[in-house]
Amino acid sequence: MTKWIAGAAVAVVLHITPTVVLVKRPDAVRTLLPGAEMFFADDIHLSDVDAHRLHEAVDWSPEDGVLTFYTGRQGARVVGSLVFVRVDTPHGPLEIAVGFKPGGAVAGVVVTKATVETKPWVLEALRAGLTDAYKGLAPGATPGGAAAIASSVAALSHYMAEQVDKGVARALAAYGAFYNHVSTAS
């Protein structure tokens, strides 16, 4: 009983609510890699130096030091690649899938997970067109989805849009530094 009370107290202090799936991962993959018939996972194990470099660039590195990119092919042709990125917020985690065209530009962004608390804010930002602002961004670009919808959403929805911007920035940095050369090969 004491462990349960201690766990509840930690949850209240950290203000984290349960995670909810907004879009299932397979559906996000189909959306971001349309026409792909075969899918391949490429794990990139970052050295300590590379993980530090990524952390310095976007204040993040994957928890286990492994970046997993998924590449879709139609026959021998690369359709695109994607990566799932987690963004931790005071309200709980978000998961964002960022798809890339073979040339490296962002093909699309799908928010796959939020929390019970943040779900309405995320959905409001998405309805306002948040993900439209990311299409075509290249590695090195600064995402501006939150700024694009700032005047049409409430403050907390704008805050969550800023968190999605962080996730997209992380994906762009990871793709540009560690994957761009891999996915463009046929």
Side-chain angles (χ1 to χ4, degrees), residues 129-142:
L130 173 64
T131 59
D132 296 338
Y134 305 124
K135 290 180 183 170
L137 289 179
T142 302

PDB file of all heavy atoms in Angstrom, residues 129-142:
ATOM      1  N   GLY A 129      -3.622  22.905 -38.765  1.00  0.00           N
ATOM      2  CA  GLY A 129      -2.684  22.759 -39.878  1.00  0.00           C
ATOM      3  C   GLY A 129      -1.226  22.692 -39.476  1.00  0.00           C
ATOM      4  O   GLY A 129      -0.341  22.936 -40.304  1.00  0.00           O
ATOM      5  N   LEU A 130      -0.959  22.326 -38.234  1.00  0.00           N
ATOM      6  CA  LEU A 130       0.414  22.288 -37.726  1.00  0.00           C
ATOM      7  C   LEU A 130       1.370  21.553 -38.661  1.00  0.00           C
ATOM      8  O   LEU A 130       2.426  22.074 -39.006  1.00  0.00           O
ATOM      9  CB  LEU A 130       0.450  21.643 -36.341  1.00  0.00           C
ATOM     10  CG  LEU A 130       1.834  21.376 -35.746  1.00  0.00           C
ATOM     11  CD1 LEU A 130       2.575  22.693 -35.519  1.00  0.00           C
ATOM     12  CD2 LEU A 130       1.717  20.586 -34.455  1.00  0.00           C
ATOM     13  N   THR A 131       1.013  20.364 -39.084  1.00  0.00           N
ATOM     14  CA  THR A 131       1.983  19.545 -39.831  1.00  0.00           C
ATOM     15  C   THR A 131       2.216  20.026 -41.255  1.00  0.00           C
ATOM     16  O   THR A 131       3.217  19.654 -41.868  1.00  0.00           O
ATOM     17  CB  THR A 131       1.559  18.062 -39.833  1.00  0.00           C
ATOM     18  OG1 THR A 131       0.270  17.940 -40.428  1.00  0.00           O
ATOM     19  CG2 THR A 131       1.538  17.495 -38.424  1.00  0.00           C
ATOM     20  N   ASP A 132       1.334  20.872 -41.775  1.00  0.00           N
ATOM     21  CA  ASP A 132       1.531  21.403 -43.134  1.00  0.00           C
ATOM     22  C   ASP A 132       2.830  22.204 -43.241  1.00  0.00           C
ATOM     23  O   ASP A 132       3.474  22.210 -44.286  1.00  0.00           O
ATOM     24  CB  ASP A 132       0.360  22.306 -43.539  1.00  0.00           C
ATOM     25  CG  ASP A 132      -0.952  21.547 -43.623  1.00  0.00           C
ATOM     26  OD1 ASP A 132      -0.922  20.302 -43.777  1.00  0.00           O
ATOM     27  OD2 ASP A 132      -2.007  22.193 -43.526  1.00  0.00           O
ATOM     28  N   ALA A 133       3.201  22.868 -42.162  1.00  0.00           N
ATOM     29  CA  ALA A 133       4.380  23.737 -42.171  1.00  0.00           C
ATOM     30  C   ALA A 133       5.696  22.973 -42.281  1.00  0.00           C
ATOM     31  O   ALA A 133       6.731  23.569 -42.584  1.00  0.00           O
ATOM     32  CB  ALA A 133       4.398  24.601 -40.911  1.00  0.00           C
ATOM     33  N   TYR A 134       5.667  21.672 -42.046  1.00  0.00           N
ATOM     34  CA  TYR A 134       6.915  20.898 -42.052  1.00  0.00           C
ATOM     35  C   TYR A 134       7.259  20.321 -43.422  1.00  0.00           C
ATOM     36  O   TYR A 134       8.419  19.992 -43.669  1.00  0.00           O
ATOM     37  CB  TYR A 134       6.827  19.754 -41.041  1.00  0.00           C
ATOM     38  CG  TYR A 134       6.491  20.208 -39.638  1.00  0.00           C
ATOM     39  CD1 TYR A 134       5.397  19.681 -38.967  1.00  0.00           C
ATOM     40  CD2 TYR A 134       7.254  21.161 -38.987  1.00  0.00           C
ATOM     41  CE1 TYR A 134       5.086  20.088 -37.686  1.00  0.00           C
ATOM     42  CE2 TYR A 134       6.943  21.582 -37.705  1.00  0.00           C
ATOM     43  CZ  TYR A 134       5.859  21.034 -37.057  1.00  0.00           C
ATOM     44  OH  TYR A 134       5.547  21.444 -35.784  1.00  0.00           O
ATOM     45  N   LYS A 135       6.289  20.199 -44.285  1.00  0.00           N
ATOM     46  CA  LYS A 135       6.527  19.571 -45.585  1.00  0.00           C
ATOM     47  C   LYS A 135       7.576  20.345 -46.380  1.00  0.00           C
ATOM     48  O   LYS A 135       7.516  21.557 -46.485  1.00  0.00           O
ATOM     49  CB  LYS A 135       5.227  19.462 -46.372  1.00  0.00           C
ATOM     50  CG  LYS A 135       4.284  18.450 -45.777  1.00  0.00           C
ATOM     51  CD  LYS A 135       3.000  18.331 -46.538  1.00  0.00           C
ATOM     52  CE  LYS A 135       2.103  17.336 -45.815  1.00  0.00           C
ATOM     53  NZ  LYS A 135       0.759  17.335 -46.337  1.00  0.00           N
ATOM     54  N   GLY A 136       8.541  19.606 -46.889  1.00  0.00           N
ATOM     55  CA  GLY A 136       9.583  20.218 -47.704  1.00  0.00           C
ATOM     56  C   GLY A 136      10.799  20.690 -46.936  1.00  0.00           C
ATOM     57  O   GLY A 136      11.797  21.073 -47.546  1.00  0.00           O
ATOM     58  N   LEU A 137      10.752  20.679 -45.591  1.00  0.00           N
ATOM     59  CA  LEU A 137      11.932  21.101 -44.824  1.00  0.00           C
ATOM     60  C   LEU A 137      13.093  20.148 -45.086  1.00  0.00           C
ATOM     61  O   LEU A 137      12.903  18.944 -45.203  1.00  0.00           O
ATOM     62  CB  LEU A 137      11.635  21.106 -43.324  1.00  0.00           C
ATOM     63  CG  LEU A 137      10.710  22.183 -42.784  1.00  0.00           C
ATOM     64  CD1 LEU A 137      10.518  22.009 -41.276  1.00  0.00           C
ATOM     65  CD2 LEU A 137      11.252  23.567 -43.082  1.00  0.00           C
ATOM     66  N   ALA A 138      14.286  20.691 -45.154  1.00  0.00           N
ATOM     67  CA  ALA A 138      15.491  19.894 -45.356  1.00  0.00           C
ATOM     68  C   ALA A 138      16.298  19.875 -44.063  1.00  0.00           C
ATOM     69  O   ALA A 138      16.149  20.772 -43.225  1.00  0.00           O
ATOM     70  CB  ALA A 138      16.331  20.492 -46.481  1.00  0.00           C
ATOM     71  N   PRO A 139      17.141  18.852 -43.876  1.00  0.00           N
ATOM     72  CA  PRO A 139      18.004  18.847 -42.701  1.00  0.00           C
ATOM     73  C   PRO A 139      18.746  20.181 -42.576  1.00  0.00           C
ATOM     74  O   PRO A 139      19.219  20.734 -43.565  1.00  0.00           O
ATOM     75  CB  PRO A 139      18.964  17.691 -42.972  1.00  0.00           C
ATOM     76  CG  PRO A 139      18.146  16.753 -43.816  1.00  0.00           C
ATOM     77  CD  PRO A 139      17.332  17.663 -44.706  1.00  0.00           C
ATOM     78  N   GLY A 140      18.776  20.700 -41.369  1.00  0.00           N
ATOM     79  CA  GLY A 140      19.393  21.997 -41.115  1.00  0.00           C
ATOM     80  C   GLY A 140      18.378  23.117 -41.016  1.00  0.00           C
ATOM     81  O   GLY A 140      18.666  24.184 -40.480  1.00  0.00           O
ATOM     82  N   ALA A 141      17.155  22.881 -41.504  1.00  0.00           N
ATOM     83  CA  ALA A 141      16.097  23.895 -41.430  1.00  0.00           C
ATOM     84  C   ALA A 141      15.520  23.943 -40.015  1.00  0.00           C
ATOM     85  O   ALA A 141      15.617  22.978 -39.260  1.00  0.00           O
ATOM     86  CB  ALA A 141      14.995  23.582 -42.431  1.00  0.00           C
ATOM     87  N   THR A 142      14.943  25.076 -39.684  1.00  0.00           N
ATOM     88  CA  THR A 142      14.296  25.247 -38.383  1.00  0.00           C
ATOM     89  C   THR A 142      12.792  25.113 -38.551  1.00  0.00           C
ATOM     90  O   THR A 142      12.186  25.883 -39.287  1.00  0.00           O
ATOM     91  CB  THR A 142      14.627  26.642 -37.791  1.00  0.00           C
ATOM     92  OG1 THR A 142      16.045  26.759 -37.680  1.00  0.00           O
ATOM     93  CG2 THR A 142      13.986  26.826 -36.434  1.00  0.00           C
TER      94      THR A 142
END
